[in-house]
Amino acid sequence: EEALEHLRAEPVDLVLLDMVMTGRDGLETYKAIREIKPNQKTVLISGYADSERVLEAQRLGAGCFLRKPFSLEALGAAIRTELDGPEKTVRNLPEN
């Protein structure tokens, strides 16, 4: 909820969003983010394999999915992909 309040007050270039959280999960949080900023660039993160909820968030416009643990190089590549690419496609980056 604090992150959503922050987004309402101050825009950010990119959101790193864990799909498994207490309370509102990643998909529900992403839907709330889209209400605030419909084109928010987002990288999805989870310790679990990509699920239907990850794919649904990607269909709604979220970007790359990284499975934990991931390397700094994989994180950097995901961030660069999202910041550079205007198109939104369902994609996963290689795990490291």
Side-chain angles (χ1 to χ4, degrees), residues 46-61:
S46 180
Y48 302 97
D50 55 338
S51 66
E52 185 56 37
R53 295 188 73 74
V54 169
L55 296 174
E56 178 64 20
Q58 288 179 313
R59 281 190 286 272
L60 291 172

Side-chain angles (χ1 to χ4, degrees), residues 7-44:
L7 283 174
R8 285 184 187 94
E10 188 170 330
V12 298
D13 294 328
L14 180 80
V15 170
L16 298 176
L17 180 60
D18 199 319
M19 292 301 291
V20 179
M21 300 180 286
T22 56
R24 195 188 301 233
D25 76 354
L27 177 58
E28 294 304 316
T29 301
Y30 183 70
K31 288 177 180 179
I33 289 169
R34 284 182 43 90
E35 290 177 13
I36 298 165
K37 186 176 178 188
N39 295 317
Q40 177 64 59
K41 294 181 182 211
T42 305
V43 172
L44 304 173

